[in-house]
Amino acid sequence: MKYNELFAKRILQLCAERNYSVNKLATLCNLRQSTIENIINGASKNPQAKTLHKIANTFNMTLAEFLDFEELNNYSFDDEN
């Protein structure tokens, strides 16, 4: 899995747990729906920390908590092509 795909997976997982649509998440984050969709569909390869922070806060998480998940913790940049 590519690095940017990990963020998409995390966002979709948290949305599913809370029964949020992408539109609802965007509204709650005060972000454009297209911003979140770009992260999810891979158009945004490196989302800004500020954007991820807003998303994390919407899930009642710190940015550190949002970024603390197994797939990201085990990611190796050595595996990138």
Side-chain angles (χ1 to χ4, degrees), residues 30-71:
N30 197 29
L31 293 170
R32 292 182 182 161
Q33 182 173 338
S34 62
T35 299
I36 295 173
E37 287 174 344
N38 285 341
I39 295 170
I40 291 170
N41 69 25
S44 176
K45 302 292 185 204
N46 264 323
Q48 293 184 9
K50 181 179 179 180
T51 301
L52 295 177
H53 196 164
K54 286 182 176 185
I55 293 169
N57 286 342
T58 300
F59 290 126
N60 294 315
M61 305 170 93
T62 64
L63 182 56
E65 290 170 328
F66 177 79
L67 297 174
D68 185 19
F69 61 102
E70 185 176 354
E71 292 91 343

